[in-house]
Amino acid sequence: MSKKIIRLPEVKNKTGLSRSSIYLRMSNDEFPQSISLGSRAIGWLESDINEWLEDCIAASKAANHE
């Protein structure tokens, strides 16, 4: 698995979610948690974001087939 860390602009671009939606979903345990990169920097594991996207796609396809 990739250990690449991506920052918020790339997470927003990959997911199509706004900053506030990302943080709201994180607080509800509906989105991967960020990783501290220092006192004022955070990021996400790219593999966690990709897995979350795959889960969303699978759930959407399952809901459309019911």
Side-chain angles (χ1 to χ4, degrees):
M1 272 271 145
S2 170
K3 297 293 182 194
K4 181 179 177 186
I5 295 178
I6 58 177
R7 301 291 303 273
L8 184 60
E10 189 171 350
V11 173
K12 288 169 49 179
N13 187 45
K14 278 182 155 261
T15 64
L17 297 173
S18 67
R19 178 187 185 279
S20 58
S21 292
I22 290 168
Y23 285 103
L24 177 64
R25 289 173 188 234
M26 279 175 48
S27 70
N28 293 333
D29 290 326
E30 299 171 353
F31 195 80
Q33 295 299 308
S34 60
I35 297 168
S36 176
L37 303 174
S39 61
R40 294 181 46 120
I42 63 166
W44 287 261
L45 282 175
E46 185 175 40
S47 58
D48 287 349
I49 300 303
N50 290 339
E51 183 179 335
W52 180 84
L53 286 167
E54 291 296 325
D55 290 346
C56 287
I57 292 167
S60 178
K61 286 183 177 182
N64 289 335
H65 290 286
E66 289 182 357

